[in-house]
Amino acid sequence: MDIETVAEETPHLIFTETIDPAHGLQGFQARRIAFNLGLSGKAFKEMTKFVNALYNAYVGSDSSLFEINPVLKASDDRIIAVDCKISLDENALYRHKDIAEMRDTREENATEVEAKAVGLNYVDLDGNVGCMVNGAGLAMATMDLIKMAGGEPANFLDVGGTADAKRVEEAFRIILKDPAVEAILVNIFGGIVRCDRVAQGIVDAYKNMGDEINVPIIVRLQGTNAEIAKELIDNSGLDVQSAVEFQEAADKVQQVLA
């Protein structure tokens, strides 16, 4: 953990204290922060207490970020946090039920909330090509692929290691909530999950949804049983285009957007 402070007399100077998590914030570090801020007397002692309280709150809440900006030295030398920004680690919320209860989903993107409720990792973006992938790294590469093809990614959606018909159908429904989507690119690497199972899941989901799917779908499946998966897609009789190579998928995206 690093604590950054800006000196009072010279706000262009930033001082950083690196804290070893095995030992925690040391007293001399808190005092050095107060000293670097040009404080003395009561204000110095108050800032030292403030920094200690800040560190304890950060560690105690399993946060990934605590930003106090600005912090105020009052006329009576009290130290006051005027504003702050806190980012919590969602993976640790099970240990902080009191904090989790404060969540107000009305302040969040409604589609992202819905996706999370069914176990999908979804982030809404401003583009015109919907993405369905497995794995964050492949998702980033897929978004680059879409941009190379002349489109813009409409979302980040990671279906994870399970891509059965129900999960694929839920993913399609989430993506199609965005009226800006003109095409959907499914890019799945079959490592843990077999490509033929994913392909069957896509075919079943497409048939279940019927007329709800009103945009072209390009499916790239690579990995275990990729060739069988391509045959399943090609012989399904559905308006789904299959691809094996990255460039082939990019070309098909470009064609449907033209």
Side-chain angles (χ1 to χ4, degrees):
M1 174 190 176
D2 289 340
I3 294 182
E4 289 188 349
T5 56
V6 181
E8 182 182 34
E9 300 297 327
T10 53
H12 62 284
L13 293 179
I14 298 177
F15 301 93
T16 302
E17 284 289 336
T18 300
I19 301 168
D20 184 341
H23 299 95
L25 177 69
Q26 301 298 297
F28 76 88
Q29 291 178 304
R31 291 190 293 273
R32 187 157 58 195
I33 290 170
F35 177 79
N36 285 337
L37 288 169
L39 302 175
S40 61
K42 179 183 176 183
F44 181 93
K45 293 178 182 178
E46 290 290 317
M47 177 55 75
T48 301
K49 284 194 231 176
F50 180 88
V51 171
N52 275 294
L54 172 65
Y55 176 78
N56 290 334
Y58 170 81
V59 173
S61 59
D62 289 310
S63 295
S64 55
L65 172 73
F66 252 67
E67 179 182 335
I68 311 298
N69 184 20
V71 62
L72 172 70
K73 178 174 78 72
S75 57
D76 60 356
D77 285 339
R78 286 181 302 131
I79 301 299
I80 302 170
V82 179
D83 196 8
C84 71
K85 175 183 177 181
I86 300 172
S87 295
L88 301 172
D89 183 352
E90 290 189 8
N91 294 315
L93 276 179
Y94 73 95
R95 300 200 296 192
H96 306 280
K97 290 185 172 58
D98 55 332
I99 296 177
E101 289 172 359
M102 297 181 192
R103 183 183 179 191
D104 184 357
T105 55
R106 294 171 299 177
E107 297 295 323
E108 301 177 37
N109 181 293
T111 307
E112 292 180 7
V113 172
E114 182 181 348
K116 187 169 184 179
V118 294
L120 295 172
N121 295 314
Y122 176 89
V123 179
D124 193 25
L125 300 173
D126 297 326
N128 59 345
V129 180
C131 308
M132 187 194 306
V133 300
N134 63 337
L138 185 59
M140 300 305 290
T142 302
M143 289 192 280
D144 288 342
L145 176 74
I146 289 169
K147 291 184 74 70
M148 287 170 58
E152 290 290 335
N155 64 270
F156 169 104
L157 193 153
D158 180 2
V159 294
T162 305
D164 55 20
K166 181 180 179 182
R167 197 169 181 80
V168 170
E169 185 175 334
E170 289 169 342
F172 277 147
R173 292 186 192 281
I174 293 292
I175 293 171
L176 290 170
K177 284 181 177 291
D178 184 350
V181 170
E182 299 176 15
I184 298 174
L185 174 58
V186 180
N187 193 5
I188 302 287
F189 176 74
I192 297 174
V193 60
R194 286 176 10 207
C195 291
D196 55 322
R197 288 188 176 178
V198 177
Q200 190 61 56
I202 292 170
V203 170
D204 293 344
Y206 196 111
K207 290 178 178 178
N208 288 340
M209 296 182 70
D211 294 338
E212 292 181 62
I213 297 180
N214 54 8
V215 298
I217 296 178
I218 299 97
V219 178
R220 176 185 179 263
L221 298 172
Q222 186 60 271
T224 306
N225 290 351
E227 292 181 1
I228 299 173
K230 189 176 189 308
E231 288 180 13
L232 279 169
I233 296 293
D234 292 341
N235 297 328
S236 66
L238 304 174
D239 186 17
V240 180
Q241 302 181 46
S242 65
V244 176
E245 301 300 329
F246 242 48
Q247 187 58 53
E248 184 184 0
D251 292 342
K252 289 182 182 293
V253 171
Q254 197 169 38
Q255 289 167 13
V256 300
L257 293 178

